[in-house]
Structures are given as C-alpha cells and as structure tokens.
Amino acid sequence: MSAESISNKRLHILVKGIVQGVGFRPFVYTLAKRYTLNGFVLNGGEGVRIEIEGVEKSIDAFLLALENETPPLARIDSVETFHVNCKNEKEFIIKASNSSHIETMLSSDIATCKACLDEMQDPKNRRYNYPFINCTDCGPRYSIIQELPYDRKNSSMQKFAMCDECRQEYENPLSRRFHAQPISCYKCGPTLYMLDKSGKKVQTDEKAIEAIVSLIKSGKTVAIKGLGGFHLVCDATNEVAVQNLRVNKKRPSKPLAVMFKNPEEIQKVALLSQEEEELITSKERPIVIVSKKEETNLAESIAPNIDRLGVFLPYTPLHVRLFDMLDVPLVATSANLSDEPIMIQERDILQKLSSVVSGILTHDREILNAADDSVIIPTNDSSLMIRMARGFAPLSKTLQAKSSKKILALGANQKNTLALCFDEHLIVSPHIGDLNSLEAFEYFTRTLENFKKFYDFEPDIIVCDKHPNYETTKWAKSYTLEHDIELLEVQHHYAHALACMAEYDLDEEMLAFSFDGTGYGDDKTLWGGEVLIADTTSYKRIHSFAPLRLLGGDKAIKEPRRVGLSLLFDIYSLEEILELDNPCVKSFTTKEIQTLYTMHQKGLNSPISSSVGRLFDGVLSLGGIAQSVDYEGESGLLVETQAQKSSSEEVYSYGITNNTIDYSQMIREITVETNSSQIAQKFINTLAKIVLEICSEHEHLTPIFSGGVFQNKTLVDKITTALKQQNKKYYIQKNTPINDGSISLGQLYHAYATKGK
C-alpha cells in the first residue's frame, strides 16, 4: 500500500434538496479542483452523490465550502457522509446521471439572470437578442420537466439537438451553462413565430416580435407565451385597449397585473418601499401588490375603485425583447376563461380566445407543466403569499422525522393546490386554481398524475376537506373506495391553522385565528370567523363570530347588499328597516325587502355563516361603498381602499359572550353613520381590537393567523404592530399562501402528525 493512500481518506457524500438543474455539480467540481481532491459527482434519483478523496484538511475545507457557498438556486436539506475505501484516483470527474428511487426536489422556473441579460444585450455575443437565453442560474425548469432526474432527455428540450458550440458549454464543468438543460442558441434552439387569429403562421423570429409589437401599439390584445403559460397582453396606458380586453374576456372589474420595463417605470405609478422593490427585482419576479399613485399614465380601468396595483418585471428574454421595442407598460394577465386554468397550448387560445386576441406570439418549446404568476402583498412586518406559483413552487420542505406513510392531500375547491409527503419530504404543488369547471378539474387530475410520476408516488392515505360538495372531496371518496386506501377528512379552518404551523414547523398548542369567506363547519354550517386552540392532532373552537344568514345562498356572495340586509333583519323589525335611510336598504324595492325578510325568518335558501369575509360584504353594503361585486375578495379590497382615506382610531361596540363574538351593536352604530371611509376604518379597527382582546385573554398561547381575510394588509399591519409593541410572539404565513392555497399543506401536516410519525 502506498504512503499516499495511507495519508488520504475517501468520503461518500449524499446531498439532498434542490440540487439538480441549479449548477450544483459544476459547483462541486470547482470545489474539488480548488482543494485538490479526486473522485466524482453525479445526479441520482435521491439527490447528488459525491465521492472525494484526499488529505483530511482539504476534505474538511471542501465540506465547509459545500454548505457555505451554495449556488444561488440550490437548497441543501441534508448532507450525509460515509467513509469508504480509497481508490487512488488521479482526477475529479462529473459522471452521467443514474436514476433510482426519486427523492430529489423539483425546482421552479426562475427569471432570466443578470449574466444572461448582459450577454443578450451585447452585440458581440453569439446570443445577442436571443429570446431563449438561459443558464444554470435561470430559465425554465418545472414547466419543461417530464420526469426526474432533471436531464435534457426528460424535458421538452429533448427534441432540440445541441449544436457544437452549445454542447461545448454544456459539457464544460467550468461553464455557467454546464448541464443547463434548456441550453440553446440561434442555431439549435426553439423557433419563435407568430400566428394570426386563424392559426396561420405569418412571421418568424425577429419579425414575429416586430409584428406583435405593431399590434400592441395599435391598441390590440395579443397572446404571448411565457414560461408556464400564455399571457393576454395589451398597452396598459390605452384605456380603449384595456376596456376591450375586459369586455372580450368577460372580466368587468377584477384588477389586471401590469408588466413594466424596469423598476424606474414602476416608481412613476406606484409608491415603493425598499422592501417592495427588493421583492419586485428578486430572482422569482412575482407580481407584487403595491400602493398606486393618484395620478398615473395607466388606463383607469386597470384596477378600478381600488388604490392598489399589481406590478411585475419581465422574467423571460422574450419579455425583455418586447420592451426593447416598446416604451409603455403592458397589461399581462393570464390567458384563460373564468374558472379555467391558464392556457399552455396555441389551439386553446384559438378555440376559446379568438374573439380576444389579434395575434399569438409563441414558440415550439412545449410547456409540459403550467405555472401561473406568483402574487405577493408586502406588509409592514413582512409579506403575504397570495398565489404560490412560478418562482416559488413546487415548494418542498424537509420534515423533522420520516413519514411512515405516503400521504396525499387534495386541498380546497378554491385556489386549489396539492400536497404530498413521503420519507422526510413534504411537497406543495403550484397554484392550480378554482375547481369550478370541467377544464379546471382536468387540470387538477393532470397535475396530480404528473406529481405521482415525478416521485414514483402512490398514496397510502388521502386527505380532503369535510365539505361534501367539494370536487376534491367527492374524488377522494371515490378513489379511496375503489383502491381500498385510507381516507382522512380535515376541517377547513383547522387546516388553515395547521398550514401556518407547518410553515414554521410548530408542534405545540397555538391560539389560531382562521378568518375567511366560507368553510364547512363541524356542525354542517358555514364557518369563517373562527378562533381555535389547536395543535397538530386536534383543536377546540373557543370563539366564533355570531352567525348571519346568506339570503339566496351563493347569490349573497355576488350581492353584498343581501348580506347587509340580513344583518339588519337580525336586529331590526321589518317596519324599522323600511324607514332606515341607508344605502343598502335603498338598493331594494319595498317588495324585495318584504320577500327577503320572509326568506330570512323562515330560513329559506338562507344558510347561516360565521364568516368574517361575509361580514366585510355586509359592511361594504351598509357603508354605501358598493352593493354588488364582480370577483372574490373585492369587498375586502374596496373596504380597505376606503379605510385608507380615514385616520380614525375609533372602534365600534361589540361583545364576547358564551364564546360568541357579538357585533350587533356595531351594525346599529354603522347604520347611523354616513361617512363611508370612517365606517371602513372603524370596522377594521374593531376587528383588530377583537383579535387583540382574545390574544390578551390567552397570554400563555402564541397566536397564529391564516385565512383569506388576512390578505387585508391594513388589518394585518394593525394586529402585528400592536403585538410587537406588546413584545408578543406570533406567526403569520409568509412563504405559503395565507388563503385556501395552503389548505392542502395543513391537511397534510395533520395526517403526518397523526398517521405518519
């Protein structure tokens, strides 16, 4: 045996986490060369495997650098090391991938990095103006992957044979494009082309971009292929263009997101804090909800009647090329019909949106997995995830202990996501959406099948909501019966609390505030204003808002005036109501009020609900702010916008008796006020005070917050500011959706705690 082999040692290292498709192997290669170590690195189904051999001091330095100098898109969840026999190799190499049991995590699509943008804007670079430029630090991942491990042959890039120059970069461990699976150039990459309304190919490459830009400048709406789906795009400064988009898409008033060329252009129309700008310019490039300036050059109908604006920056090279030819911001909204998922195929645009678009800018790199744009609301304290998709999802977490079961959680019917766990891994899918159409449910089942294929996953347990009419619940009951596997149902608002606990790995008893629009309660009524004492295995409902009747059922959600009238029916006689000088009352005829009063008294088509979201509806109507709404969450936005016009610190009267939060006196006080802004501000102040009072009554418990109502920035800022002033610890979701988008995560966390440990 040589003296060298006696002094050396060899380690086998297994690295798990997000370590494929993110430049991890060339990073390892560079470290091995730096510390004069021999061996190899390869991608395996379970993660990245490394063997290094050399002197102990160099190996220790390598291990330290491995965890401290990780590539920007990588995330190490665990590093396992094993001593093995020395092999006396003379070099360090990168071996080809092998596939086995899949444990490595999928990474999400990432915006074009600065290095690629610099190359793209360099006339001397061979990828000058190339609309598909990418490297290991950026570009498509989840949207193009077919199966793991993440290799070109397993992606929609498999049909594009690399040219010699691209292959040299791809095979060079010192290149930024080493094993960048979507690598390509003008010679060997996807083809960009434009289709007219009939589907005929009319232009290619640069001329296709010029033709689409010409349509945008003339006030037309076009469809443009992004990373995870198509956008509908028009000039955001052209009121006629925006109105036409709204009319043709049948989207009367829901806010439209706007893409800007750079942060300086956003600052012209919005008030940005440093934190907001950091979010906007982050590598994920989400849509960020910011405060809109009173005077802007944007079309009035971009975000009517509210003081917020959804803004984002170009995140693909194709977007950048558009702005090279345009000097206006662009409406860039998901190409879909109401209650349907984002479209990823040209044929769907032509079949369903031919009356909307005048042209389609697309290419032949197939989108295999749809991914919408992520949406975030910054707060004084942090930020709130509203839609978790491109850039942030799939989300993966490492569990504190391995699960003994494979668990699948199906989420809610609105803002649906899926979650699954196996071994020590917990994974949440990107936003799927509302499951109110056949197309949406097909997207749900397709996403489920994809994730099962990615991870070679078949569930031992399926978890769903208790609502019997949720499509996910019906599917779960049918599937578990057919396959003879265990079914677990988790109450909706408990799942909200569990989602917050899962994000922070909490396992103790918490004081949970779960406020939202609607959820199926244990008593078979509609809950939505719940205060729970909860841990990972059980909960107790300790407070809830006094129930109100939803006159006409679902119709009341579209007509807040029905909720307002119902609140009046609870405390006034019919005669007193008819004499009230209130905007809600005036919006009905006397006969309509009499009919609705009979419905209320007899409980006809008038389910009861403890929902704080519906309480917002009632205040919206009684305060004279609006009597009908067009989209979910509009009531909260309109009330919040009005509240910003008042500086009142006053609150309305309320009581908490027998575990019920009684707000009847608040309703009486609102009916004698006429200032809409003051009503809105005092209502939010009152909700905050109720929360803080309950927190003070349970000093020994840490409060947590989840549910769609906590998308209200003003409410959240008031509560969290007060808790910080009291030095009170609290948790509110940040990295996972605070709305129904995280119901699957909460369901999974409960199943893991009760069945998987």
Side-chain angles (χ1 to χ4, degrees), residues 147-409:
E147 59 183 275
L148 291 172
Y150 176 61
D151 283 328
R152 192 180 183 95
K153 66 182 180 181
N154 295 331
S155 78
S156 59
M157 286 299 296
Q158 63 178 317
K159 71 176 184 178
F160 300 102
M162 281 182 273
C163 66
D164 290 342
E165 289 174 288
C166 284
R167 181 161 294 282
Q168 285 176 9
E169 293 175 292
Y170 183 83
E171 293 177 350
N172 180 3
L174 301 179
S175 168
R176 201 176 78 251
R177 293 190 172 88
F178 176 76
H179 281 224
Q181 306 307 335
I183 187 175
S184 63
C185 69
Y186 285 110
K187 293 180 182 178
C188 62
T191 299
L192 186 68
Y193 55 92
M194 175 185 161
L195 304 176
D196 64 15
K197 292 182 65 168
S198 68
K200 179 183 176 183
K201 188 183 294 186
V202 292
Q203 296 288 356
T204 59
D205 301 325
E206 189 80 356
K207 289 187 180 299
I209 302 176
E210 292 172 357
I212 281 290
V213 165
S214 179
L215 288 174
I216 294 170
K217 287 181 175 179
S218 67
K220 304 298 185 182
T221 296
V222 298
I224 298 176
K225 194 172 187 177
L227 281 178
F230 281 88
H231 281 129
L232 295 179
V233 174
C234 72
D235 181 350
T237 67
N238 186 327
E239 180 65 30
V240 174
V242 177
Q243 286 283 11
N244 285 340
L245 170 59
R246 286 196 175 280
V247 170
N248 291 330
K249 197 188 175 189
K250 297 180 175 60
R251 183 171 172 168
S253 61
K254 190 175 182 180
L256 298 165
V258 183
M259 184 182 285
F260 293 80
K261 184 172 186 174
N262 52 46
E264 291 73 29
E265 292 299 311
I266 298 177
Q267 288 169 347
K268 292 178 181 179
V269 301
L271 303 168
L272 296 186
S273 67
Q274 181 180 339
E275 292 75 17
E276 287 169 338
E277 187 165 343
E278 287 173 358
L279 271 175
I280 291 166
T281 58
S282 68
K283 66 182 186 297
E284 293 84 6
R285 292 288 198 278
I287 296 171
V288 180
I289 310 300
V290 297
S291 295
K292 182 171 58 176
K293 288 183 176 178
E294 288 189 14
E295 298 294 329
T296 76
N297 67 334
L298 297 178
E300 285 293 325
S301 56
I302 291 285
N305 306 316
I306 61 172
D307 61 354
R308 304 291 167 82
L309 188 64
V311 303
F312 63 137
L313 294 176
Y315 56 82
T316 73
L318 181 55
H319 293 140
V320 173
R321 292 294 295 120
L322 286 172
F323 280 106
D324 285 343
M325 303 180 192
L326 286 164
D327 58 2
V328 294
L330 299 174
V331 168
T333 186
S334 301
N336 65 339
L337 294 176
S338 180
D339 293 331
E340 292 189 14
I342 187 171
M343 295 177 185
I344 61 174
Q345 302 281 358
E346 293 83 0
R347 64 172 179 267
D348 291 330
I349 301 285
L350 294 167
Q351 289 172 5
K352 299 181 179 182
L353 294 174
S354 60
S355 63
V356 181
V357 303
S358 296
I360 303 171
L361 184 60
T362 186
H363 53 78
D364 56 354
R365 185 182 69 204
E366 188 180 359
I367 297 173
L368 298 178
N369 305 297
D372 222 317
D373 295 317
S374 294
V375 181
I376 293 178
I377 297 178
T379 66
N380 288 349
D381 185 44
S382 180
S383 60
L384 304 171
M385 180 71 73
I386 306 304
R387 185 166 69 201
M388 186 180 73
R390 176 187 52 77
F392 297 94
L395 172 76
S396 59
K397 283 176 62 70
T398 301
L399 296 165
Q400 294 176 336
K402 280 191 174 185
S403 176
S404 61
K405 303 284 188 181
K406 291 183 176 181
I407 306 169
L408 168 66

